[in-house]
């Protein structure tokens, strides 16, 4: 069935470091891909999305490119800030109206 | 818009008690989803509704769980009787888009602790 696999955390980085969180998916069709972010004590909120192959989603300095050939949607940011500390979820939507989420990756950024 | 509103934010109860979680979706959104989040299992979809009708409840763990959506602005998730393993954060989410490119809007969650 459809699934999403993302790198296990937690990830701890120093401020201004480069961030990559890996995400791969399996799907029978051509899903839309999403990154959601969950700040402490809050619900998930959409960070960025891509709806077709080679699309790049971007927001708040974060980017992810839909790679059909490698079935991946890795999240990157060139210079993280303490305020980026959160849990990041990769998700896909294919063939139905629900989303399938990865297990989440906790990011901690230290000053 | 006020966003998705959930209540209560925190609930502590004893095993065997009935628990009712409530959700008010964003006005105009046709889809409503109930998720459960735990450290061990991550984010799990329990059930979702379209135009107040349950579409897929295959994620509901067992008969102790039930969900209703009596109208477009209100949904409940009920656990009766509750058990310690039901302890989790329960999220409600809604969306308006009928395709998978649409954004899900989440509430702040209801943290349930069953003693």
């Amino acid at each position: 069935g459809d699934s999403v696999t993302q790198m296990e955390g937690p990830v701890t980085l120093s401020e201004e470091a480069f961030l990559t969180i890996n995400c791969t998916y399996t799907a029978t069709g051509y899903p839309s891909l999403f990154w959601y972010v969950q700040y402490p004590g809050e619900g998930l909120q959409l960070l960025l999305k891509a709806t077709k192959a080679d699309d790049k989603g971007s927001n708040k300095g974060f980017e992810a490119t839909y790679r059909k050939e490698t079935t991946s949607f890795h999240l990157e940011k060139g210079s993280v800030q303490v305020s980026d500390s959160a849990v990041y979820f990769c998700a896909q939507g294919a063939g139905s109206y629900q989303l399938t989420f990865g297990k989440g990756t906790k990011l901690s950024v230290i000053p | 818009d006020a966003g998705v509103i959930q209540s209560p934010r925190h609930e502590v109860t004893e095993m065997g008690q009935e628990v009712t979680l409530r959700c008010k979706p964003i006005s105009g959104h046709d889809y409503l989803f109930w998720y459960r989040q735990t450290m061990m299992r991550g984010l799990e979809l329990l059930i979702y509704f379209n135009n107040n009708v349950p579409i897929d409840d295959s994620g509901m763990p067992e008969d102790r769980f039930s969900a209703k959506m009596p109208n477009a602005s209100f949904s409940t998730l009920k656990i009766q009787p509750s058990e310690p393993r039901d302890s989790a954060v329960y999220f409600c989410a809604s969306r308006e888009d009928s395709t998978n490119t649409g954004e899900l809007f989440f509430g702040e969650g209801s943290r349930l602790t069953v003693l």
Side-chain angles (χ1 to χ4, degrees):
Chain A
D2 297 345
S3 67
V4 173
T5 303
Q6 59 182 107
M7 63 187 287
E8 301 229 353
V11 174
T12 302
L13 295 174
S14 297
E15 207 164 20
E16 300 184 1
F18 184 85
L19 168 72
T20 299
I21 301 178
N22 291 337
C23 171
T24 58
Y25 67 92
T26 59
T28 52
Y30 299 97
S32 296
L33 301 174
F34 306 82
W35 277 100
Y36 278 79
V37 58
Q38 183 181 28
Y39 298 103
E42 299 183 10
L44 282 72
Q45 54 186 278
L46 180 66
L47 179 61
L48 54 84
K49 70 179 183 184
T51 58
K52 61 183 187 297
D54 300 326
D55 267 4
K56 178 186 284 187
S58 61
N59 186 25
K60 299 181 181 180
F62 291 89
E63 293 183 339
T65 301
Y66 190 140
R67 300 287 187 200
K68 183 181 163 187
E69 62 277 11
T70 54
T71 62
S72 65
F73 193 55
H74 305 322
L75 182 68
E76 297 181 336
K77 186 174 185 182
S79 176
V80 294
Q81 305 301 311
V82 172
S83 57
D84 294 326
S85 298
V87 181
Y88 292 82
F89 292 86
C90 186
Q92 64 152 309
S96 67
Y97 303 127
Q98 59 175 289
L99 297 185
T100 300
F101 286 87
K103 291 199 170 182
T105 303
K106 183 176 181 179
L107 170 66
S108 297
V109 181
I110 54 178
Chain B
D1 202 316
V4 176
I5 300 172
Q6 291 187 245
S7 64
R9 290 295 311 277
H10 301 275
E11 173 100 6
V12 180
T13 191
E14 294 189 345
M15 182 173 64
Q17 297 299 305
E18 177 178 294
V19 173
T20 299
L21 307 178
R22 298 172 179 81
C23 174
K24 176 178 166 51
I26 293 173
S27 176
H29 284 193
D30 298 328
Y31 290 84
L32 183 140
F33 302 79
W34 281 101
Y35 284 88
R36 177 172 68 176
Q37 185 180 40
T38 61
M39 289 291 291
M40 291 296 294
R41 302 170 71 93
L43 201 62
E44 302 173 278
L45 176 66
L46 300 178
I47 184 172
Y48 79 94
F49 296 83
N50 177 214
N51 291 323
N52 314 337
V53 176
I55 303 300
D56 184 353
D57 65 354
S58 59
M60 295 286 261
E62 49 198 273
D63 292 345
R64 297 185 297 106
F65 286 69
S66 62
K68 294 182 180 179
M69 192 165 185
N71 57 62
S73 59
F74 183 66
S75 177
T76 60
L77 178 67
K78 186 175 294 186
I79 308 172
Q80 166 62 16
S82 59
E83 296 182 4
R85 61 192 167 124
D86 301 330
S87 297
V89 181
Y90 292 82
F91 287 102
C92 177
S94 69
R95 70 191 291 179
E96 63 172 341
D97 199 295
S98 62
T99 72
N100 286 315
T101 59
E103 178 178 354
L104 265 183
F105 292 83
F106 283 79
E108 293 186 318
S110 294
R111 181 176 294 276
L112 172 65
T113 302
V114 183
L115 303 175

